[in-house]
Amino acid sequence: MLYGNRAAAFMKRKWDGDHYDALRDCLKAISLNPSHLKAHFRLARCLFELKYVAEALECLDDFKGRFPEQAHSSACDALDRDIKAVLFAKTDTSDEKKTGSTTPIRIRSSGRKDSISDDEVILRERGYDYKSRYCGHCNTTTDIKEANFFGSNGQYIVSGSDDGSFFIWEKETTNLVRVLQGDESIVNCLQPHPRHCFLATSGIDPVVRLWSPRPETEDQNERVIEDMEGASQANQRRMNADPLEVMLLNMGYRITGLTNSGMASDDEESTEGQVQCRPS
């Protein structure tokens, strides 16, 4: 039940990689309870969203066979139409490339499977899936964002981000625990001290910053970003934004909905995507 519910939450959130995580949760739920109706249906939906259209159709047909009473439900019919529309479009495109062909359009029973070579199949069988996924940061501008272990026992994961912040997660739970402003533009590199509680960060600014814990009696650090959820959601929008908007952001312009100042208000939502000039 818990895996199925988490899969539904991933599918609703729709962050990058969420549909794949949802697919993994569906498979886990089915392995624990083969008669889990919603897990079977969500598995078909995840395959479709991940562009495995032929596999999604096979999975949906299996769902109809296992649960015939749901075979003509509105959700099942809608997914069936979506899958077949994509398959028809692919077949139509293939037919257009053939000059003088009068072959009627047919639904292909294959999809990605046909494009996988034997070598690729072997490599996939030998491959390993990831164990943990840490979300919230953004990497669209520079080649790589350094990630590292942090803490006396490596109990935290740290990574830079294109929004000028760096993120700290709990390694075991993958929960985001802290976001700090490390650069005016981009944080690329993070290195912990091997023996003491120090963290060095650097990015586009011509400085290297050193971070260490502060006494609880001191005032709140102005570089701590309180709205971690808002920063994470802004980074998700940034990763899927138009390249021109990302370029303007990197030049210092502010684009509503792509900053890490939290969720946009009702007034901001009506002007999302508008460029506002930076102050002089």
Side-chain angles (χ1 to χ4, degrees), residues 9-19 49 236 240:
F10 280 136
M11 295 171 69
K12 183 176 181 179
R13 190 174 67 169
K14 296 181 180 179
W15 283 11
D16 289 354
D18 274 354
H19 278 106
E49 295 293 342
Q236 281 293 315
N240 293 281

Side-chain angles (χ1 to χ4, degrees), residues 124-171:
R124 292 188 180 188
E125 290 175 350
R126 296 176 180 174
Y128 291 92
D129 204 353
Y130 61 83
K131 294 181 62 177
S132 301
R133 175 170 166 247
Y134 304 90
C135 300
H137 63 308
C138 173
N139 182 21
T140 60
T141 304
T142 52
D143 289 338
I144 192 169
K145 294 294 178 295
E146 189 172 41
N148 224 317
F149 293 96
F150 187 57
S152 57
N153 296 311
Q155 66 268 37
Y156 298 103
I157 301 293
V158 292
S159 175
S161 178
D162 278 344
D163 63 345
S165 306
F166 66 94
F167 289 66
I168 305 175
W169 300 268
E170 287 182 340
K171 183 180 70 174

Side-chain angles (χ1 to χ4, degrees), residues 159-233:
S159 175
S161 178
D162 278 344
D163 63 345
S165 306
F166 66 94
F167 289 66
I168 305 175
W169 300 268
E170 287 182 340
K171 183 180 70 174
E172 295 300 325
T173 65
T174 72
N175 291 335
L176 181 62
V177 295
R178 185 60 59 90
V179 181
L180 296 118
Q181 190 71 27
D183 194 276
E184 294 303 317
S185 182
I186 297 172
V187 175
N188 283 322
C189 302
L190 306 97
Q191 283 292 329
H193 193 280
R195 293 181 300 277
H196 303 291
C197 192
F198 275 104
L199 180 69
T201 65
S202 67
I204 303 301
D205 290 348
V207 296
V208 175
R209 291 184 170 88
L210 297 178
W211 305 79
S212 64
R214 300 176 61 178
E216 295 182 358
T217 55
E218 290 191 13
D219 294 335
Q220 180 66 40
N221 189 341
E222 62 180 9
R223 288 189 173 272
V224 174
I225 297 176
E226 297 291 343
D227 187 7
M228 297 187 295
E229 180 68 19
S232 299
Q233 291 182 358

Side-chain angles (χ1 to χ4, degrees), residues 184-185 204 246-256 259 274-280:
E184 294 303 317
S185 182
I204 303 301
V246 175
M247 182 183 70
L248 292 172
L249 279 173
N250 295 331
M251 293 171 59
Y253 293 91
R254 180 177 179 273
I255 300 179
T256 305
T259 60
Q274 296 183 3
V275 179
Q276 299 179 6
C277 295
R278 56 184 174 182
S280 59

